[in-house]
């Protein structure tokens, strides 16, 4: 059997010959990060993920959601992004918009429980962060206002909505609409213990005049050189005002957007990417680069749903472009990954390679601005058609990881240092017991194992991180790989992912 050094050298030569980056496990100098976004999107619109179909009982819906959390834990993720307002409706008892039809099959019908409260509580029990995912403007996946619930705002204010492409949308150019949408979303932010407010990539549906907002443009568009500039300003106002409202109401949560992956092509703008695809700046009136540069977001998660080398939008060209956009800002950069394309026989041959997504994460590591990834969507993370998710997890998620700390929260007071009561050998391994010492119980405990006493700097990465477990006043956890002579330490983690000083060490006798 070849030695590890021989194996690594062979892999390196093979990679150099094919220009394919080495997977993380094959790079001897790879240091797993302590903090890394590892998320997945759980979509509710047209029952993509959850609930799997309308009309399930409350218990069936609950069981399905718990199964999605099991997937997240199994894949070593630390966050879920759950769609709770897919079409100007609600997965909670909202005073602004009706119950979602994707729960019961009938818009406005009470599902018999509070799905958002249940989902947030169960997510936190597993030590995962819950990001509430909202679609800001979409009203309906069909175009007949008469099919909306009688109490729907679109029925009460028919001038607020516009048909386009077989769907209905709120008109982003009306200030009262923008405020109403913000109010509806902020209701969930203020009433529930969520960890983030998240927008997807849908803003204006298109740049065509077939989306007939001419009346609003005539009323509010004075001073703008053209329709596109006015529309772009409307979206800018939504983004900027949402930031201000989140900071005022609940500054400890994350606010971010996952836009389509191309801001502008270089042919349209010298600041654009070396691509030739649909441009969010022009098509959706979403100035995604500007939002980052102006500091209006805590994070941006562009959907880079292309393979490495794909014309006319090459993943390996978009990654450095986005890294450059985020560089020097306080906006974190996470990458939206197309799990749904891997192994899909309708996709290009490159997506039939189990290593494609793993190669994406390997390439990301060349750009320190990138702080992790979000996978679309949950079902594809679960079914893992050609083993692409398993390959990425095995190559890049060997160690647990804490979610990133928002730069604006990094200077806050960290949790108190916990006490490690003991680390004792048991029949199943080494049992570790940690006790919180602060007034607030930690959200998580990070457990480290070393072969000897640990230096103070040894807790800055995940090389010795063996577990991240949900917090409480105290926690017991058994390390199946622990043995005599190992040294254990525990670090408390708060909801902002700030970490305490490490506990006292405990050597296993």
């Amino acid at each position: 059997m070849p030695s590890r050094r021989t194996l690594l050298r062979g892999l390196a030569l093979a990679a150099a010959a094919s220009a394919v980056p080495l997977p993380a496990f094959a790079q001897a100098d790879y240091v797993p990060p302590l903090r890394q976004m590892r998320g997945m999107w759980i979509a509710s619109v047209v029952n993509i993920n959850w609930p799997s179909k309308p009309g399930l009982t409350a218990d069936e819906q609950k069981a399905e959601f718990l199964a999605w959390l099991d997937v997240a834990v199994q894949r070593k993720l630390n966050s879920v992004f759950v769609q709770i307002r897919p079409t100007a409706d609600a997965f909670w008892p909202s005073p602004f918009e009706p119950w979602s039809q994707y729960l019961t099959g009938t818009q406005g019908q009470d599902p018999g429980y509070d799905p958002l409260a249940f989902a947030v509580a169960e997510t936190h029990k597993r030590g995962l962060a819950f990001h509430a995912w909202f679609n800001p403007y979409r009203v309906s996946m069909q175009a007949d206002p008469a099919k909306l619930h009688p109490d729907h705002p679109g029925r009460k204010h028919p001038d607020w909505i516009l048909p386009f492409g077989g769907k209905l949308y709120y008109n982003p150019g009306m200030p009262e609409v923008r405020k109403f949408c913000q109010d509806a979303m902020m209701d969930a932010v203020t009433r529930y213990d969520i960890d983030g407010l998240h927008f997807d990539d849908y803003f204006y549906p298109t740049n065509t005049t077939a989306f007939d907002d001419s009346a609003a443009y005539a009323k509010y568009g004075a001073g703008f050189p053209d329709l596109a500039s006015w529309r772009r300003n409307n979206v800018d106002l939504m983004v900027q005002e949402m930031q201000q409202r989140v900071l005022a109401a609940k500054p400890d949560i994350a606010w971010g957007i996952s836009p389509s992956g191309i801001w502008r092509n270089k042919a349209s703008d010298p600041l654009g990417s070396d691509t030739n695809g649909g441009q969010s700046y022009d098509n959706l009136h979403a100035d995604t680069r500007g939002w980052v540069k102006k500091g209006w977001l805590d994070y941006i998660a562009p959907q880079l749903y292309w393979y490495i080398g794909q014309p006319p939008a090459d993943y390996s060209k978009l990654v450095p472009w986005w890294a450059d956009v985020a560089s020097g800002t306080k906006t974190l950069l996470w990458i939206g990954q197309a799990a749904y394309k891997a192994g899909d026989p309708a996709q290009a041959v490159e997506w039939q390679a189990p290593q494609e997504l793993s190669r994406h994460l390997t390439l990301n590591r060349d750009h320190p601005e990138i702080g992790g990834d979000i996978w679309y969507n949950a079902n594809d993370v679960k079914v893992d058609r050609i083993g692409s998710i398993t390959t990425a997890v095995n190559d890049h998620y060997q160690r647990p990881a804490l979610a990133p700390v928002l730069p604006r929260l990094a200077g806050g007071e960290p949790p108190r240092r916990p006490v490690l009561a003991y680390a004792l050998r048991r029949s199943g391994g080494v049992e570790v017991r940690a006790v919180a010492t602060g007034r607030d119980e930690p959200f998580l405990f990070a457990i480290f194992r070393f072969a000897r006493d640990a230096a103070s700097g040894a807790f800055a990465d995940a090389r010795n991180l063996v577990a991240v477990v949900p917090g409480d006043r105290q926690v017991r956890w058994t390390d199946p790989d622990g043995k005599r002579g190992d040294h254990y330490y525990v670090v408390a983690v708060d909801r902002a992912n700030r970490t305490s000083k490490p506990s006292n060490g405990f050597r296993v006798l």
Side-chain angles (χ1 to χ4, degrees), residues 99-135:
W99 283 108
S100 176
Q101 70 185 74
Y102 303 117
L103 292 166
T104 64
T106 302
Q107 190 172 70
Q109 182 176 324
D110 190 328
Y113 76 115
D114 186 335
L116 180 54
F118 171 81
V120 170
E122 293 298 327
T123 299
H124 289 162
K125 285 180 184 177
R126 287 154 180 78
L128 302 169
F130 186 99
H131 293 258
W133 165 16
F134 302 85
N135 183 285

mmCIF file of all heavy atoms in Angstrom, residues 99-135:
data_model
loop_
_atom_site.group_PDB
_atom_site.id
_atom_site.type_symbol
_atom_site.label_atom_id
_atom_site.label_comp_id
_atom_site.label_asym_id
_atom_site.label_seq_id
_atom_site.Cartn_x
_atom_site.Cartn_y
_atom_site.Cartn_z
ATOM 1 N N TRP A 99 -52.619 33.002 5.756
ATOM 2 C CA TRP A 99 -51.885 31.745 5.827
ATOM 3 C C TRP A 99 -51.553 31.265 4.410
ATOM 4 O O TRP A 99 -52.359 31.394 3.487
ATOM 5 C CB TRP A 99 -52.733 30.668 6.507
ATOM 6 C CG TRP A 99 -52.820 30.758 7.992
ATOM 7 C CD1 TRP A 99 -53.905 31.147 8.732
ATOM 8 C CD2 TRP A 99 -51.793 30.413 8.940
ATOM 9 N NE1 TRP A 99 -53.621 31.079 10.075
ATOM 10 C CE2 TRP A 99 -52.325 30.630 10.232
ATOM 11 C CE3 TRP A 99 -50.486 29.954 8.824
ATOM 12 C CZ2 TRP A 99 -51.601 30.391 11.392
ATOM 13 C CZ3 TRP A 99 -49.750 29.719 9.978
ATOM 14 C CH2 TRP A 99 -50.294 29.939 11.243
ATOM 15 N N SER A 100 -50.385 30.674 4.246
ATOM 16 C CA SER A 100 -49.965 30.196 2.936
ATOM 17 C C SER A 100 -50.795 29.002 2.474
ATOM 18 O O SER A 100 -51.089 28.088 3.250
ATOM 19 C CB SER A 100 -48.488 29.797 2.978
ATOM 20 O OG SER A 100 -48.088 29.249 1.739
ATOM 21 N N GLN A 101 -51.120 29.002 1.197
ATOM 22 C CA GLN A 101 -51.852 27.874 0.623
ATOM 23 C C GLN A 101 -50.999 26.612 0.590
ATOM 24 O O GLN A 101 -51.535 25.496 0.488
ATOM 25 C CB GLN A 101 -52.304 28.210 -0.798
ATOM 26 C CG GLN A 101 -51.166 28.281 -1.815
ATOM 27 C CD GLN A 101 -51.634 28.721 -3.177
ATOM 28 O OE1 GLN A 101 -51.942 29.891 -3.399
ATOM 29 N NE2 GLN A 101 -51.706 27.785 -4.113
ATOM 30 N N TYR A 102 -49.685 26.771 0.688
ATOM 31 C CA TYR A 102 -48.814 25.600 0.606
ATOM 32 C C TYR A 102 -48.825 24.776 1.891
ATOM 33 O O TYR A 102 -48.235 23.697 1.946
ATOM 34 C CB TYR A 102 -47.394 26.037 0.235
ATOM 35 C CG TYR A 102 -47.382 26.799 -1.072
ATOM 36 C CD1 TYR A 102 -46.974 28.125 -1.126
ATOM 37 C CD2 TYR A 102 -47.855 26.205 -2.232
ATOM 38 C CE1 TYR A 102 -47.010 28.829 -2.313
ATOM 39 C CE2 TYR A 102 -47.895 26.906 -3.431
ATOM 40 C CZ TYR A 102 -47.468 28.224 -3.470
ATOM 41 O OH TYR A 102 -47.520 28.921 -4.656
ATOM 42 N N LEU A 103 -49.507 25.284 2.902
ATOM 43 C CA LEU A 103 -49.692 24.516 4.133
ATOM 44 C C LEU A 103 -50.915 23.608 4.040
ATOM 45 O O LEU A 103 -50.825 22.402 4.261
ATOM 46 C CB LEU A 103 -49.832 25.465 5.328
ATOM 47 C CG LEU A 103 -48.580 26.259 5.709
ATOM 48 C CD1 LEU A 103 -48.941 27.388 6.654
ATOM 49 C CD2 LEU A 103 -47.548 25.335 6.339
ATOM 50 N N THR A 104 -52.050 24.176 3.716
ATOM 51 C CA THR A 104 -53.310 23.430 3.761
ATOM 52 C C THR A 104 -53.926 23.179 2.394
ATOM 53 O O THR A 104 -54.854 22.372 2.277
ATOM 54 C CB THR A 104 -54.343 24.199 4.599
ATOM 55 O OG1 THR A 104 -54.625 25.449 3.942
ATOM 56 C CG2 THR A 104 -53.829 24.468 6.006
ATOM 57 N N GLY A 105 -53.447 23.860 1.383
ATOM 58 C CA GLY A 105 -54.069 23.798 0.076
ATOM 59 C C GLY A 105 -55.048 24.923 -0.155
ATOM 60 O O GLY A 105 -55.487 25.149 -1.291
ATOM 61 N N THR A 106 -55.419 25.659 0.895
ATOM 62 C CA THR A 106 -56.355 26.774 0.796
ATOM 63 C C THR A 106 -55.749 28.004 1.451
ATOM 64 O O THR A 106 -55.436 27.978 2.648
ATOM 65 C CB THR A 106 -57.688 26.433 1.490
ATOM 66 O OG1 THR A 106 -58.241 25.261 0.895
ATOM 67 C CG2 THR A 106 -58.669 27.590 1.371
ATOM 68 N N GLN A 107 -55.566 29.054 0.675
ATOM 69 C CA GLN A 107 -54.983 30.265 1.240
ATOM 70 C C GLN A 107 -55.889 30.807 2.338
ATOM 71 O O GLN A 107 -57.114 30.881 2.184
ATOM 72 C CB GLN A 107 -54.793 31.317 0.153
ATOM 73 C CG GLN A 107 -53.967 32.513 0.603
ATOM 74 C CD GLN A 107 -53.639 33.438 -0.545
ATOM 75 O OE1 GLN A 107 -54.507 34.120 -1.074
ATOM 76 N NE2 GLN A 107 -52.372 33.457 -0.945
ATOM 77 N N GLY A 108 -55.285 31.167 3.467
ATOM 78 C CA GLY A 108 -56.029 31.714 4.586
ATOM 79 C C GLY A 108 -56.496 30.694 5.599
ATOM 80 O O GLY A 108 -56.984 31.079 6.671
ATOM 81 N N GLN A 109 -56.332 29.410 5.303
ATOM 82 C CA GLN A 109 -56.800 28.375 6.227
ATOM 83 C C GLN A 109 -55.741 28.090 7.284
ATOM 84 O O GLN A 109 -54.585 27.824 6.968
ATOM 85 C CB GLN A 109 -57.132 27.091 5.478
ATOM 86 C CG GLN A 109 -57.679 25.985 6.381
ATOM 87 C CD GLN A 109 -58.094 24.762 5.596
ATOM 88 O OE1 GLN A 109 -58.612 24.870 4.477
ATOM 89 N NE2 GLN A 109 -57.869 23.578 6.153
ATOM 90 N N ASP A 110 -56.144 28.145 8.551
ATOM 91 C CA ASP A 110 -55.253 27.898 9.677
ATOM 92 C C ASP A 110 -54.787 26.440 9.660
ATOM 93 O O ASP A 110 -55.618 25.527 9.610
ATOM 94 C CB ASP A 110 -56.000 28.195 10.981
ATOM 95 C CG ASP A 110 -55.104 28.216 12.200
ATOM 96 O OD1 ASP A 110 -54.105 27.464 12.224
ATOM 97 O OD2 ASP A 110 -55.412 28.963 13.146
ATOM 98 N N PRO A 111 -53.474 26.196 9.699
ATOM 99 C CA PRO A 111 -52.998 24.811 9.666
ATOM 100 C C PRO A 111 -53.129 24.080 10.999
ATOM 101 O O PRO A 111 -52.805 22.893 11.083
ATOM 102 C CB PRO A 111 -51.533 24.965 9.272
ATOM 103 C CG PRO A 111 -51.137 26.283 9.841
ATOM 104 C CD PRO A 111 -52.364 27.167 9.685
ATOM 105 N N GLY A 112 -53.566 24.783 12.037
ATOM 106 C CA GLY A 112 -53.760 24.130 13.327
ATOM 107 C C GLY A 112 -52.581 24.216 14.264
ATOM 108 O O GLY A 112 -52.618 23.671 15.372
ATOM 109 N N TYR A 113 -51.528 24.892 13.842
ATOM 110 C CA TYR A 113 -50.359 25.137 14.698
ATOM 111 C C TYR A 113 -49.585 26.288 14.101
ATOM 112 O O TYR A 113 -49.952 26.799 13.031
ATOM 113 C CB TYR A 113 -49.499 23.871 14.830
ATOM 114 C CG TYR A 113 -48.636 23.553 13.615
ATOM 115 C CD1 TYR A 113 -47.244 23.589 13.699
ATOM 116 C CD2 TYR A 113 -49.200 23.202 12.378
ATOM 117 C CE1 TYR A 113 -46.453 23.290 12.595
ATOM 118 C CE2 TYR A 113 -48.417 22.898 11.272
ATOM 119 C CZ TYR A 113 -47.039 22.948 11.390
ATOM 120 O OH TYR A 113 -46.252 22.653 10.299
ATOM 121 N N ASP A 114 -48.534 26.709 14.763
ATOM 122 C CA ASP A 114 -47.706 27.801 14.265
ATOM 123 C C ASP A 114 -46.436 27.201 13.649
ATOM 124 O O ASP A 114 -45.493 26.865 14.374
ATOM 125 C CB ASP A 114 -47.348 28.755 15.412
ATOM 126 C CG ASP A 114 -46.603 29.993 14.943
ATOM 127 O OD1 ASP A 114 -45.959 29.939 13.883
ATOM 128 O OD2 ASP A 114 -46.647 31.019 15.651
ATOM 129 N N PRO A 115 -46.399 27.018 12.322
ATOM 130 C CA PRO A 115 -45.231 26.367 11.711
ATOM 131 C C PRO A 115 -43.916 27.080 11.984
ATOM 132 O O PRO A 115 -42.887 26.431 12.185
ATOM 133 C CB PRO A 115 -45.575 26.377 10.212
ATOM 134 C CG PRO A 115 -47.062 26.439 10.167
ATOM 135 C CD PRO A 115 -47.449 27.303 11.330
ATOM 136 N N LEU A 116 -43.936 28.428 11.974
ATOM 137 C CA LEU A 116 -42.687 29.151 12.183
ATOM 138 C C LEU A 116 -42.169 28.954 13.601
ATOM 139 O O LEU A 116 -40.972 28.700 13.808
ATOM 140 C CB LEU A 116 -42.880 30.640 11.879
ATOM 141 C CG LEU A 116 -41.641 31.530 12.060
ATOM 142 C CD1 LEU A 116 -40.459 31.015 11.261
ATOM 143 C CD2 LEU A 116 -41.966 32.973 11.679
ATOM 144 N N ALA A 117 -43.043 29.044 14.598
ATOM 145 C CA ALA A 117 -42.613 28.838 15.980
ATOM 146 C C ALA A 117 -42.045 27.438 16.164
ATOM 147 O O ALA A 117 -41.003 27.246 16.809
ATOM 148 C CB ALA A 117 -43.781 29.072 16.936
ATOM 149 N N PHE A 118 -42.726 26.451 15.597
ATOM 150 C CA PHE A 118 -42.255 25.070 15.698
ATOM 151 C C PHE A 118 -40.895 24.911 15.027
ATOM 152 O O PHE A 118 -39.963 24.334 15.595
ATOM 153 C CB PHE A 118 -43.269 24.126 15.053
ATOM 154 C CG PHE A 118 -42.786 22.712 14.912
ATOM 155 C CD1 PHE A 118 -42.843 21.836 15.990
ATOM 156 C CD2 PHE A 118 -42.258 22.259 13.708
ATOM 157 C CE1 PHE A 118 -42.385 20.535 15.872
ATOM 158 C CE2 PHE A 118 -41.792 20.960 13.578
ATOM 159 C CZ PHE A 118 -41.864 20.098 14.663
ATOM 160 N N ALA A 119 -40.771 25.434 13.802
ATOM 161 C CA ALA A 119 -39.542 25.247 13.044
ATOM 162 C C ALA A 119 -38.346 25.911 13.723
ATOM 163 O O ALA A 119 -37.251 25.337 13.787
ATOM 164 C CB ALA A 119 -39.719 25.803 11.627
ATOM 165 N N VAL A 120 -38.546 27.123 14.241
ATOM 166 C CA VAL A 120 -37.443 27.824 14.913
ATOM 167 C C VAL A 120 -36.999 27.060 16.154
ATOM 168 O O VAL A 120 -35.795 26.831 16.374
ATOM 169 C CB VAL A 120 -37.860 29.262 15.275
ATOM 170 C CG1 VAL A 120 -36.825 29.917 16.180
ATOM 171 C CG2 VAL A 120 -38.054 30.093 14.016
ATOM 172 N N ALA A 121 -37.949 26.632 16.967
ATOM 173 C CA ALA A 121 -37.607 25.932 18.210
ATOM 174 C C ALA A 121 -36.879 24.627 17.927
ATOM 175 O O ALA A 121 -35.855 24.321 18.574
ATOM 176 C CB ALA A 121 -38.867 25.677 19.025
ATOM 177 N N GLU A 122 -37.360 23.860 16.965
ATOM 178 C CA GLU A 122 -36.731 22.572 16.687
ATOM 179 C C GLU A 122 -35.363 22.738 16.031
ATOM 180 O O GLU A 122 -34.446 21.947 16.265
ATOM 181 C CB GLU A 122 -37.646 21.729 15.796
ATOM 182 C CG GLU A 122 -38.924 21.294 16.474
ATOM 183 C CD GLU A 122 -38.671 20.402 17.687
ATOM 184 O OE1 GLU A 122 -37.692 19.636 17.676
ATOM 185 O OE2 GLU A 122 -39.462 20.479 18.653
ATOM 186 N N THR A 123 -35.219 23.772 15.221
ATOM 187 C CA THR A 123 -33.914 24.050 14.612
ATOM 188 C C THR A 123 -32.883 24.359 15.684
ATOM 189 O O THR A 123 -31.757 23.830 15.665
ATOM 190 C CB THR A 123 -34.040 25.222 13.624
ATOM 191 O OG1 THR A 123 -34.966 24.873 12.593
ATOM 192 C CG2 THR A 123 -32.704 25.562 12.991
ATOM 193 N N HIS A 124 -33.258 25.192 16.643
ATOM 194 C CA HIS A 124 -32.325 25.559 17.706
ATOM 195 C C HIS A 124 -31.999 24.390 18.617
ATOM 196 O O HIS A 124 -30.875 24.298 19.141
ATOM 197 C CB HIS A 124 -32.892 26.724 18.510
ATOM 198 C CG HIS A 124 -32.888 28.016 17.764
ATOM 199 N ND1 HIS A 124 -33.652 29.102 18.133
ATOM 200 C CD2 HIS A 124 -32.210 28.408 16.654
ATOM 201 C CE1 HIS A 124 -33.428 30.102 17.286
ATOM 202 N NE2 HIS A 124 -32.568 29.699 16.384
ATOM 203 N N LYS A 125 -32.946 23.485 18.819
ATOM 204 C CA LYS A 125 -32.666 22.312 19.651
ATOM 205 C C LYS A 125 -31.510 21.487 19.096
ATOM 206 O O LYS A 125 -30.819 20.794 19.841
ATOM 207 C CB LYS A 125 -33.909 21.420 19.754
ATOM 208 C CG LYS A 125 -34.999 21.941 20.670
ATOM 209 C CD LYS A 125 -36.174 20.971 20.686
ATOM 210 C CE LYS A 125 -37.338 21.496 21.514
ATOM 211 N NZ LYS A 125 -38.505 20.570 21.459
ATOM 212 N N ARG A 126 -31.306 21.565 17.800
ATOM 213 C CA ARG A 126 -30.244 20.804 17.160
ATOM 214 C C ARG A 126 -28.978 21.619 16.966
ATOM 215 O O ARG A 126 -28.051 21.175 16.296
ATOM 216 C CB ARG A 126 -30.753 20.254 15.820
ATOM 217 C CG ARG A 126 -31.746 19.110 16.014
ATOM 218 C CD ARG A 126 -32.710 18.980 14.852
ATOM 219 N NE ARG A 126 -33.649 17.878 15.073
ATOM 220 C CZ ARG A 126 -34.710 17.938 15.878
ATOM 221 N NH1 ARG A 126 -34.981 19.063 16.536
ATOM 222 N NH2 ARG A 126 -35.504 16.896 16.030
ATOM 223 N N GLY A 127 -28.959 22.812 17.538
ATOM 224 C CA GLY A 127 -27.764 23.637 17.427
ATOM 225 C C GLY A 127 -27.586 24.277 16.068
ATOM 226 O O GLY A 127 -26.476 24.691 15.716
ATOM 227 N N LEU A 128 -28.663 24.383 15.288
ATOM 228 C CA LEU A 128 -28.616 24.991 13.967
ATOM 229 C C LEU A 128 -29.198 26.402 14.016
ATOM 230 O O LEU A 128 -30.081 26.684 14.821
ATOM 231 C CB LEU A 128 -29.427 24.163 12.965
ATOM 232 C CG LEU A 128 -29.027 22.697 12.785
ATOM 233 C CD1 LEU A 128 -30.095 21.962 11.981
ATOM 234 C CD2 LEU A 128 -27.677 22.588 12.094
ATOM 235 N N ALA A 129 -28.709 27.265 13.150
ATOM 236 C CA ALA A 129 -29.263 28.608 13.023
ATOM 237 C C ALA A 129 -30.434 28.590 12.057
ATOM 238 O O ALA A 129 -30.418 27.866 11.048
ATOM 239 C CB ALA A 129 -28.195 29.582 12.537
ATOM 240 N N PHE A 130 -31.456 29.412 12.341
ATOM 241 C CA PHE A 130 -32.654 29.501 11.511
ATOM 242 C C PHE A 130 -32.698 30.862 10.829
ATOM 243 O O PHE A 130 -32.867 31.891 11.491
ATOM 244 C CB PHE A 130 -33.914 29.298 12.358
ATOM 245 C CG PHE A 130 -35.190 29.239 11.561
ATOM 246 C CD1 PHE A 130 -35.768 28.026 11.248
ATOM 247 C CD2 PHE A 130 -35.810 30.404 11.118
ATOM 248 C CE1 PHE A 130 -36.945 27.960 10.505
ATOM 249 C CE2 PHE A 130 -36.988 30.351 10.372
ATOM 250 C CZ PHE A 130 -37.548 29.125 10.068
ATOM 251 N N HIS A 131 -32.544 30.861 9.514
ATOM 252 C CA HIS A 131 -32.655 32.083 8.719
ATOM 253 C C HIS A 131 -34.013 32.073 8.028
ATOM 254 O O HIS A 131 -34.328 31.145 7.268
ATOM 255 C CB HIS A 131 -31.534 32.162 7.687
ATOM 256 C CG HIS A 131 -30.177 32.336 8.286
ATOM 257 N ND1 HIS A 131 -29.527 33.546 8.317
ATOM 258 C CD2 HIS A 131 -29.351 31.448 8.905
ATOM 259 C CE1 HIS A 131 -28.345 33.400 8.913
ATOM 260 N NE2 HIS A 131 -28.221 32.136 9.281
ATOM 261 N N ALA A 132 -34.822 33.091 8.291
ATOM 262 C CA ALA A 132 -36.161 33.191 7.712
ATOM 263 C C ALA A 132 -36.056 33.784 6.314
ATOM 264 O O ALA A 132 -35.600 34.917 6.138
ATOM 265 C CB ALA A 132 -37.053 34.053 8.599
ATOM 266 N N TRP A 133 -36.500 33.006 5.336
ATOM 267 C CA TRP A 133 -36.338 33.342 3.921
ATOM 268 C C TRP A 133 -37.660 33.911 3.400
ATOM 269 O O TRP A 133 -38.704 33.274 3.502
ATOM 270 C CB TRP A 133 -35.908 32.091 3.187
ATOM 271 C CG TRP A 133 -36.008 32.062 1.700
ATOM 272 C CD1 TRP A 133 -36.167 33.103 0.833
ATOM 273 C CD2 TRP A 133 -35.939 30.875 0.887
ATOM 274 N NE1 TRP A 133 -36.208 32.660 -0.451
ATOM 275 C CE2 TRP A 133 -36.066 31.304 -0.459
ATOM 276 C CE3 TRP A 133 -35.773 29.530 1.166
ATOM 277 C CZ2 TRP A 133 -36.047 30.397 -1.516
ATOM 278 C CZ3 TRP A 133 -35.746 28.630 0.114
ATOM 279 C CH2 TRP A 133 -35.883 29.056 -1.210
ATOM 280 N N PHE A 134 -37.584 35.123 2.845
ATOM 281 C CA PHE A 134 -38.757 35.834 2.344
ATOM 282 C C PHE A 134 -38.583 36.132 0.861
ATOM 283 O O PHE A 134 -37.491 36.490 0.416
ATOM 284 C CB PHE A 134 -38.946 37.176 3.062
ATOM 285 C CG PHE A 134 -39.086 37.087 4.550
ATOM 286 C CD1 PHE A 134 -37.961 37.053 5.373
ATOM 287 C CD2 PHE A 134 -40.331 37.056 5.149
ATOM 288 C CE1 PHE A 134 -38.083 36.991 6.748
ATOM 289 C CE2 PHE A 134 -40.467 36.990 6.525
ATOM 290 C CZ PHE A 134 -39.338 36.960 7.328
ATOM 291 N N ASN A 135 -39.676 36.018 0.104
ATOM 292 C CA ASN A 135 -39.703 36.588 -1.234
ATOM 293 C C ASN A 135 -40.376 37.955 -1.119
ATOM 294 O O ASN A 135 -41.527 38.041 -0.686
ATOM 295 C CB ASN A 135 -40.483 35.688 -2.194
ATOM 296 C CG ASN A 135 -40.451 36.233 -3.612
ATOM 297 O OD1 ASN A 135 -41.139 37.199 -3.924
ATOM 298 N ND2 ASN A 135 -39.647 35.634 -4.455
#
